[in-house]
Amino acid sequence: MSNSQIKLRKAGLRARSSLSDKDRGSASTIITENVTRSAWFQRAEYVACYLSTRSEVDTWAIILRAWDMKKRVFVPVIQKEMRFKEITTNTNLLVRKYGIKEPETGEFISPRML
């Protein structure tokens, strides 16, 4: 990662961390509505979504909407490289490196399918 990329990342993290809970909640709602109303989301059988943590906008509403629509949801899992593993309503989530939640079990999928 270049110095300029590192500076941009840090600036983004500071901006995100400065959001109030109310603003973060509002942003989460707007993002959920924009994503779930999109044509690509409506057509998709498989959906990739990160599991929000700390100061990130909440992605659980997107995941719940996908499940309600009978879509399969896959989340990033970091091993030697990033892979995507399915989560369901019964998936046990473990807190891993950097406080990121990852599914304990689940089927992996090729990123090309997402």
Side-chain angles (χ1 to χ4, degrees):
M1 201 180 277
S2 71
N3 277 345
S4 61
Q5 289 172 316
I6 291 170
K7 287 179 183 178
L8 279 173
R9 180 168 170 73
K10 286 182 179 181
L13 289 172
R14 278 193 306 274
R16 189 178 76 198
S17 295
S18 71
L19 289 174
S20 68
D21 288 342
K22 181 180 177 184
D23 288 343
R24 187 173 297 104
S26 295
S28 298
T29 299
I30 292 167
I31 291 167
T32 296
E33 290 306 313
N34 287 336
V35 167
T36 59
R37 287 182 182 166
S38 69
W40 64 263
F41 185 88
Q42 295 290 319
R43 287 189 308 267
E45 293 178 53
Y46 310 121
V47 175
C49 190
Y50 69 91
L51 298 173
S52 50
T53 184
R54 297 182 298 274
S55 63
E56 296 171 338
V57 296
D58 189 356
T59 56
W60 278 103
I62 295 170
I63 293 167
L64 293 172
R65 187 91 47 96
W67 285 336
D68 286 345
M69 297 171 74
K70 307 299 183 219
K71 299 177 184 298
R72 293 175 66 188
V73 178
F74 294 81
V75 298
V77 174
I78 306 299
Q79 295 173 334
K80 291 181 182 177
E81 58 190 27
M82 184 186 298
R83 298 182 66 196
F84 290 86
K85 190 181 274 190
E86 185 171 17
I87 61 170
T88 68
T89 56
N90 298 319
T91 299
N92 185 38
L93 299 174
L94 303 173
V95 178
R96 299 288 190 187
K97 192 173 184 180
Y98 306 114
I100 297 172
K101 294 178 185 172
E102 293 183 354
E104 184 174 26
T105 60
E107 180 181 327
F108 283 103
I109 192 170
S110 166
R112 295 180 196 273
M113 299 291 295
L114 300 171

Coordinates of all heavy atoms in Angstrom, one line a residue, residues 14-55:
R14 N -11.0 7.9 10.2 CA -11.3 9.0 11.1 C -12.7 9.6 10.9 O -13.5 9.8 11.8 CB -10.3 10.1 11.0 CG -9.0 9.9 11.8 CD -8.1 11.1 11.9 NE -7.8 11.7 10.6 CZ -6.8 11.4 9.8 NH1 -6.0 10.4 10.2 NH2 -6.6 12.0 8.6
A15 N -13.0 9.8 9.6 CA -14.3 10.3 9.3 C -15.4 9.4 9.7 O -16.4 9.8 10.3 CB -14.4 10.6 7.8
R16 N -15.3 8.1 9.5 CA -16.2 7.1 9.9 C -16.4 7.0 11.4 O -17.5 7.0 11.9 CB -15.8 5.7 9.3 CG -16.9 4.7 9.5 CD -16.4 3.4 8.9 NE -15.5 2.7 9.8 CZ -14.6 1.8 9.4 NH1 -14.6 1.4 8.2 NH2 -13.8 1.3 10.3
S17 N -15.3 7.1 12.1 CA -15.3 7.0 13.5 C -16.0 8.3 14.2 O -16.4 8.2 15.3 CB -13.9 6.9 14.1 OG -13.4 5.6 13.7
S18 N -16.0 9.4 13.4 CA -16.5 10.6 14.0 C -18.1 10.7 13.9 O -18.7 11.6 14.4 CB -15.9 11.8 13.3 OG -16.4 11.9 12.0
L19 N -18.7 9.7 13.1 CA -20.1 9.7 13.0 C -20.8 9.4 14.4 O -20.3 8.5 15.1 CB -20.6 8.7 12.0 CG -20.3 8.9 10.5 CD1 -20.7 7.7 9.7 CD2 -21.0 10.1 10.1
S20 N -21.8 10.1 14.7 CA -22.6 9.8 15.9 C -23.4 8.5 15.6 O -23.6 8.1 14.5 CB -23.6 10.9 16.2 OG -24.6 11.0 15.2
D21 N -23.9 7.9 16.7 CA -24.7 6.7 16.5 C -25.9 6.9 15.7 O -26.3 6.1 14.9 CB -25.1 6.1 17.9 CG -23.9 5.5 18.6 OD1 -22.9 5.2 18.0 OD2 -24.0 5.3 19.9
K22 N -26.5 8.1 15.9 CA -27.7 8.5 15.1 C -27.4 8.6 13.6 O -28.1 8.1 12.8 CB -28.3 9.8 15.6 CG -29.5 10.3 14.9 CD -30.0 11.6 15.5 CE -31.2 12.0 14.7 NZ -31.7 13.3 15.2
D23 N -26.3 9.3 13.3 CA -25.9 9.4 11.9 C -25.5 8.1 11.3 O -25.8 7.8 10.1 CB -24.7 10.4 11.8 CG -25.1 11.9 12.0 OD1 -26.3 12.2 12.0 OD2 -24.2 12.7 12.3
R24 N -24.8 7.2 12.0 CA -24.5 5.9 11.5 C -25.7 5.1 11.3 O -25.8 4.4 10.3 CB -23.6 5.2 12.5 CG -23.0 3.9 12.0 CD -22.0 3.2 12.9 NE -20.8 4.1 13.0 CZ -20.5 4.9 14.1 NH1 -21.3 4.9 15.1 NH2 -19.5 5.6 14.1
G25 N -26.7 5.2 12.2 CA -28.0 4.5 12.0 C -28.7 5.0 10.7 O -29.3 4.2 10.0
S26 N -28.7 6.3 10.5 CA -29.4 6.9 9.4 C -28.7 6.4 8.1 O -29.3 6.1 7.1 CB -29.4 8.4 9.4 OG -30.1 8.9 10.5
A27 N -27.3 6.5 8.1 CA -26.6 6.0 6.9 C -26.8 4.5 6.6 O -27.0 4.1 5.5 CB -25.1 6.3 7.2
S28 N -26.9 3.7 7.7 CA -27.2 2.3 7.5 C -28.5 2.1 6.9 O -28.6 1.2 6.0 CB -27.1 1.6 8.9 OG -25.9 1.7 9.5
T29 N -29.5 2.8 7.3 CA -30.9 2.7 6.7 C -30.9 3.1 5.2 O -31.4 2.4 4.4 CB -31.9 3.5 7.5 OG1 -31.9 3.1 8.8 CG2 -33.3 3.4 6.9
I30 N -30.2 4.2 4.9 CA -30.2 4.7 3.5 C -29.4 3.7 2.6 O -29.9 3.3 1.5 CB -29.5 6.1 3.4 CG1 -30.4 7.1 4.1 CG2 -29.2 6.4 2.0 CD1 -29.8 8.4 4.4
I31 N -28.3 3.2 3.1 CA -27.5 2.2 2.3 C -28.3 0.9 2.1 O -28.4 0.4 1.0 CB -26.2 1.9 3.0 CG1 -25.3 3.2 2.9 CG2 -25.5 0.7 2.4 CD1 -24.1 3.2 3.8
T32 N -29.0 0.4 3.2 CA -29.8 -0.8 3.1 C -30.9 -0.6 2.0 O -31.0 -1.5 1.2 CB -30.4 -1.2 4.4 OG1 -29.4 -1.5 5.4 CG2 -31.4 -2.3 4.3
E33 N -31.6 0.5 2.0 CA -32.6 0.7 1.1 C -32.1 0.8 -0.4 O -32.6 0.2 -1.3 CB -33.4 2.0 1.4 CG -34.3 1.8 2.7 CD -35.2 0.6 2.6 OE1 -35.9 0.4 1.6 OE2 -35.2 -0.1 3.6
N34 N -31.0 1.5 -0.5 CA -30.4 1.7 -1.9 C -29.9 0.3 -2.4 O -30.1 0.0 -3.6 CB -29.2 2.7 -1.9 CG -29.7 4.1 -1.8 OD1 -30.8 4.4 -2.1 ND2 -28.9 5.0 -1.3
V35 N -29.2 -0.5 -1.6 CA -28.7 -1.8 -2.0 C -29.9 -2.7 -2.3 O -29.9 -3.3 -3.4 CB -27.8 -2.4 -0.9 CG1 -27.5 -3.8 -1.2 CG2 -26.5 -1.6 -0.8
T36 N -30.8 -2.9 -1.4 CA -31.8 -3.9 -1.6 C -32.9 -3.5 -2.6 O -33.5 -4.4 -3.1 CB -32.5 -4.2 -0.2 OG1 -33.1 -3.0 0.3 CG2 -31.5 -4.8 0.8
R37 N -33.0 -2.3 -3.0 CA -33.9 -1.9 -4.1 C -33.2 -2.0 -5.5 O -33.9 -1.9 -6.5 CB -34.4 -0.5 -3.9 CG -35.4 -0.3 -2.8 CD -35.8 1.1 -2.7 NE -36.8 1.2 -1.5 CZ -37.2 2.4 -1.0 NH1 -36.7 3.5 -1.6 NH2 -38.0 2.4 0.0
S38 N -31.9 -2.1 -5.5 CA -31.2 -2.2 -6.8 C -31.5 -3.4 -7.6 O -31.9 -4.5 -7.0 CB -29.7 -2.1 -6.5 OG -29.2 -3.3 -6.0
A39 N -31.5 -3.2 -8.9 CA -31.8 -4.3 -9.8 C -30.9 -5.5 -9.6 O -31.3 -6.7 -9.6 CB -31.8 -3.8 -11.2
W40 N -29.6 -5.2 -9.4 CA -28.7 -6.3 -9.3 C -28.9 -7.2 -8.0 O -28.8 -8.4 -8.0 CB -27.2 -5.9 -9.3 CG -26.8 -5.0 -8.2 CD1 -26.7 -3.6 -8.2 CD2 -26.4 -5.3 -6.9 NE1 -26.3 -3.1 -7.0 CE2 -26.1 -4.1 -6.2 CE3 -26.2 -6.5 -6.2 CZ2 -25.7 -4.1 -4.8 CZ3 -25.8 -6.5 -4.9 CH2 -25.6 -5.4 -4.2
F41 N -29.3 -6.5 -6.9 CA -29.7 -7.2 -5.7 C -30.9 -8.0 -5.9 O -31.0 -9.2 -5.5 CB -29.8 -6.2 -4.5 CG -30.1 -6.9 -3.2 CD1 -29.0 -7.3 -2.4 CD2 -31.4 -7.2 -2.7 CE1 -29.2 -7.9 -1.2 CE2 -31.6 -7.8 -1.5 CZ -30.5 -8.2 -0.7
Q42 N -31.9 -7.4 -6.5 CA -33.2 -8.1 -6.8 C -33.0 -9.4 -7.6 O -33.6 -10.4 -7.3 CB -34.2 -7.2 -7.5 CG -34.6 -6.0 -6.7 CD -35.5 -6.4 -5.5 OE1 -36.4 -7.2 -5.7 NE2 -35.3 -5.7 -4.4
R43 N -32.1 -9.4 -8.6 CA -31.8 -10.5 -9.5 C -30.9 -11.6 -8.9 O -30.9 -12.7 -9.3 CB -31.2 -10.1 -10.8 CG -32.1 -9.3 -11.7 CD -31.5 -9.1 -13.1 NE -30.2 -8.5 -13.0 CZ -29.9 -7.2 -13.1 NH1 -30.9 -6.4 -13.2 NH2 -28.7 -6.7 -13.0
A44 N -30.1 -11.2 -7.9 CA -29.0 -12.0 -7.4 C -29.5 -13.3 -6.7 O -30.5 -13.2 -5.9 CB -28.1 -11.3 -6.5
E45 N -28.9 -14.4 -6.9 CA -29.1 -15.6 -6.1 C -28.2 -15.6 -4.9 O -28.5 -16.1 -3.8 CB -28.9 -16.9 -6.9 CG -29.9 -17.1 -8.0 CD -29.6 -18.3 -8.8 OE1 -29.4 -19.4 -8.1 OE2 -29.4 -18.2 -10.0
Y46 N -27.0 -15.1 -5.1 CA -25.9 -15.1 -4.1 C -25.5 -13.7 -3.8 O -25.4 -12.9 -4.8 CB -24.7 -15.9 -4.6 CG -24.9 -17.2 -5.1 CD1 -24.6 -17.6 -6.4 CD2 -25.5 -18.2 -4.3 CE1 -24.8 -18.8 -6.9 CE2 -25.8 -19.5 -4.9 CZ -25.4 -19.8 -6.1 OH -25.6 -21.0 -6.6
V47 N -25.3 -13.3 -2.6 CA -25.0 -12.0 -2.2 C -23.7 -12.0 -1.3 O -23.7 -12.8 -0.4 CB -26.1 -11.3 -1.4 CG1 -25.7 -9.9 -0.9 CG2 -27.4 -11.2 -2.3
A48 N -22.8 -11.2 -1.6 CA -21.6 -11.0 -0.7 C -21.8 -9.8 0.1 O -22.2 -8.7 -0.4 CB -20.3 -10.9 -1.5
C49 N -21.5 -9.9 1.4 CA -21.7 -8.7 2.3 C -20.7 -8.9 3.5 O -20.5 -10.0 4.0 CB -23.1 -8.7 2.8 SG -23.5 -7.2 3.7
Y50 N -20.1 -7.8 3.9 CA -19.3 -7.9 5.1 C -20.1 -7.9 6.4 O -21.2 -7.4 6.4 CB -18.2 -6.8 5.1 CG -18.7 -5.4 5.3 CD1 -18.8 -4.9 6.6 CD2 -19.1 -4.6 4.3 CE1 -19.2 -3.6 6.9 CE2 -19.5 -3.3 4.5 CZ -19.6 -2.8 5.8 OH -20.1 -1.5 6.0
L51 N -19.6 -8.4 7.4 CA -20.2 -8.3 8.7 C -19.6 -7.1 9.5 O -18.5 -7.1 9.8 CB -19.9 -9.6 9.5 CG -20.4 -10.9 8.9 CD1 -20.0 -12.1 9.7 CD2 -21.9 -10.9 8.8
S52 N -20.5 -6.1 9.7 CA -20.1 -4.9 10.2 C -19.5 -5.0 11.6 O -19.9 -5.9 12.4 CB -21.2 -3.9 10.2 OG -22.3 -4.4 10.8
T53 N -18.6 -4.1 11.9 CA -17.9 -4.1 13.2 C -17.6 -2.7 13.6 O -17.5 -1.8 12.7 CB -16.7 -5.0 13.2 OG1 -16.1 -5.0 14.5 CG2 -15.6 -4.5 12.2
R54 N -17.4 -2.4 14.8 CA -17.0 -1.1 15.4 C -17.8 0.0 14.7 O -19.0 0.1 14.8 CB -15.5 -0.9 15.2 CG -14.7 -1.9 16.0 CD -13.2 -1.7 15.9 NE -12.7 -1.8 14.6 CZ -12.3 -2.9 14.0 NH1 -12.3 -4.1 14.7 NH2 -11.7 -2.9 12.8
S55 N -17.1 0.9 14.1 CA -17.8 2.2 13.6 C -18.3 2.0 12.2 O -18.8 3.0 11.6 CB -16.7 3.3 13.6 OG -15.7 3.0 12.7

